[in-house]
Amino acid sequence: MSNKPVKHTDFYEGNADYYHPKQEDEIDLFELFSVIYKSKILIIAVSFVFAVIGFGVASFMPQKWTSTAAVVQPGLEEFQSLKNTLTDLEVLNLKPELTEDAVYKRFVENYNSRVLREEYLVSTQYFKDLLASKKEITGQNKRSLIEQIVNKNISSSVPKKDKEDEYNETTLSFSAGTAEDSYNLLSGYIRFISTVVRAQVKDELNDLVYQKLAYAKKTYDIDLARITNMRATDIERLKYAISIAESAGIQKPISNGGAVVKDDPDYSIALGSDALQRKLQINESITDPTLIDADLRNRILYIKNLEAVNINKLMFQPFKYMQEPYEPTAKDSPKRLLILIGAGFIGFILSVMFVLMNHMVRSRQKQEA
């Protein structure tokens, strides 16, 4: 076909020199599909190679499995032992502020503690094996590995509640390189945090009992010293009364004959020296003031009850399982199938682009020739 100018006098009568060149930038879709179809083997081969490469890369990428558990505040079964201990303490006039909700919140707070996460992590065989797999073990490598696991692999979340009276459920999770490791790490960390909470509660209760016991003992010692001083004073006053009675020649009790006599009722000279002497002997024979003082005996009983309190054997669970930890059946990443499909798709796109670009270059070369 000639590219010579053609006159169109019927449309452009005033422009006799109007040219209508062939539009070479038009796209012939049928031609493109034909080119792609002819190169289908190349496209399929390239897509397959990319898919294989993607699958291989996914196989060597670090695996991630996540084990989860769901917990709520402890029920009667989990809290019963602690509740019985709290009741025993209340009988002894001790009122620790420990409730199911308070203990559960403490468990969640400790679970989210970075210090406790790191303390548990570095004690596990899983972390030791990961660290040993490093080509070079340095402080920076160890710190980096700890930060990665503590910040990314351990988590807790509270689902949004639709109603205010719903359970305050918390989802706990731990990720690791294998399903078994993720399950063992999560179970172990939950046990570790439970032990920490129990230790904290025991320490608080023991401190409360210790402070109360120290106060009771000090109060008892003060009262005992006071009574001992009073007893010593009584003995001295009795001696003075006996001396006065003997000086007055009053040996036996005398009657006042109805007359009013001003005398000390506790150390009455009218009793006579014999009676006062006997009273002195009795007072001097009492070496243990608790034998004649009920208040002191009650204090001793209270101290013994406080000393009998045994908090160390207390066992309770600071939460209730709504879903126990389980060994995951599907890994989080990498998703081999998705990577394989994505890599194959990228190979398909690149191969199609290569075929079309190659066709365009050859077409231009033919036109220039």
Side-chain angles (χ1 to χ4, degrees):
M1 179 177 180
S2 176
N3 288 333
K4 293 181 179 181
V6 179
K7 291 184 179 181
H8 297 270
T9 55
D10 52 340
F11 290 101
Y12 297 94
E13 296 178 354
N15 188 1
D17 296 327
Y18 173 75
Y19 294 93
H20 183 67
K22 179 182 178 180
Q23 297 183 2
E24 296 180 353
D25 58 345
E26 290 183 355
I27 299 176
D28 189 344
L29 294 179
F30 291 102
E31 183 180 357
L32 294 181
F33 284 125
S34 176
V35 172
I36 293 174
Y37 181 76
K38 291 178 181 179
S39 303
K40 59 182 181 297
I41 296 178
L42 174 63
I43 295 174
I44 294 173
V46 172
S47 301
F48 178 78
V49 169
F50 268 76
V52 171
I53 293 174
F55 184 82
V57 171
S59 300
F60 287 100
M61 289 177 65
Q63 307 293 305
K64 185 178 180 181
W65 299 76
T66 301
S67 179
T68 60
V71 296
V72 295
Q73 72 178 36
L76 181 60
E77 181 179 356
E78 294 79 15
F79 203 72
Q80 186 65 57
S81 177
L82 178 57
K83 195 171 185 179
N84 292 339
T85 301
L86 295 178
T87 301
D88 294 339
L89 294 178
E90 287 181 4
V91 172
L92 297 175
N93 200 28
L94 296 173
K95 298 180 179 180
E97 298 180 357
L98 287 173
T99 62
E100 292 89 336
D101 185 59
V103 172
Y104 174 67
K105 287 181 178 179
R106 182 174 300 187
F107 170 81
V108 176
E109 290 173 357
N110 284 323
Y111 184 92
N112 292 326
S113 169
R114 287 176 53 86
V115 175
L116 292 177
R117 288 182 179 184
E118 181 174 341
E119 180 181 344
Y120 168 74
L121 177 64
V122 297
S123 67
T124 62
Q125 188 62 41
Y126 173 78
F127 176 78
K128 295 176 182 177
D129 292 341
L130 284 180
L131 196 60
S133 65
K134 299 289 184 180
K135 295 181 179 179
E136 182 181 358
I137 301 177
T138 63
Q140 183 66 25
N141 289 341
K142 183 177 180 181
R143 187 72 249 167
S144 177
L145 183 60
I146 291 174
E147 290 294 328
Q148 178 182 356
I149 296 176
V150 167
N151 293 332
K152 298 181 180 180
N153 292 6
I154 310 175
S155 65
S156 68
S157 61
V158 180
K160 185 177 180 181
K161 297 188 294 184
D162 296 330
K163 299 179 181 178
E164 293 184 357
D165 57 348
E166 286 186 357
Y167 286 113
N168 188 22
E169 181 179 296
T170 302
T171 301
L172 313 175
S173 64
F174 206 122
S175 301
T178 66
E180 183 180 2
D181 284 336
S182 65
Y183 166 75
N184 291 334
L185 288 170
L186 178 60
S187 301
Y189 188 51
I190 291 175
R191 288 194 298 269
F192 172 76
I193 296 300
S194 298
T195 302
V196 170
V197 173
R198 280 193 292 268
Q200 291 175 346
V201 171
K202 289 177 184 179
D203 288 343
E204 289 184 10
L205 295 181
N206 278 325
D207 181 69
L208 185 63
V209 172
Y210 172 80
Q211 295 296 334
K212 195 68 174 180
L213 181 59
Y215 174 80
K217 286 183 175 181
K218 290 179 180 179
T219 304
Y220 170 79
D221 291 339
I222 292 173
D223 288 345
L224 182 61
R226 177 178 56 81
I227 292 175
T228 301
N229 293 335
M230 290 177 60
R231 176 172 166 273
T233 302
D234 290 345
I235 290 174
E236 292 299 322
R237 294 183 66 180
L238 278 173
K239 290 179 179 180
Y240 292 146
I242 292 171
S243 177
I244 294 172
E246 289 177 348
S247 299
I250 303 174
Q251 186 176 2
K252 301 295 181 181
I254 61 175
S255 175
N256 54 19
V260 178
V261 179
K262 189 175 182 181
D263 199 357
D264 192 328
D266 294 325
Y267 311 99
S268 177
I269 299 174
L271 290 175
S273 60
D274 290 346
L276 291 173
Q277 187 68 39
R278 179 57 183 159
K279 187 174 182 180
L280 176 62
Q281 292 175 355
I282 293 173
N283 282 354
E284 288 179 336
S285 67
I286 300 174
T287 58
D288 186 4
T290 60
L291 297 176
I292 59 172
D293 193 301
D295 184 59
L296 281 181
R297 295 175 72 91
N298 289 334
R299 287 181 183 274
I300 292 176
L301 177 62
Y302 182 70
I303 289 173
K304 288 182 178 179
N305 287 332
L306 283 176
E307 290 175 338
V309 174
N310 189 356
I311 304 295
N312 295 325
K313 294 183 179 180
L314 178 63
M315 289 297 296
F316 66 94
Q317 187 167 287
F319 61 87
K320 177 181 180 180
Y321 275 122
M322 297 301 288
Q323 173 191 303
E324 294 189 6
Y326 65 93
E327 191 170 318
T329 57
K331 62 183 175 182
D332 301 327
S333 64
K335 300 292 187 180
R336 291 184 179 179
L337 180 60
L338 293 179
I339 294 177
L340 186 147
I341 294 175
F345 182 74
I346 292 174
F348 173 79
I349 296 297
L350 293 178
S351 60
V352 169
M353 290 178 61
F354 172 78
V355 168
L356 294 179
M357 290 292 294
N358 187 46
H359 172 71
M360 183 182 68
V361 170
R362 285 186 298 175
S363 298
R364 288 292 178 90
Q365 290 176 349
K366 287 180 179 181
Q367 290 179 0
E368 290 176 357

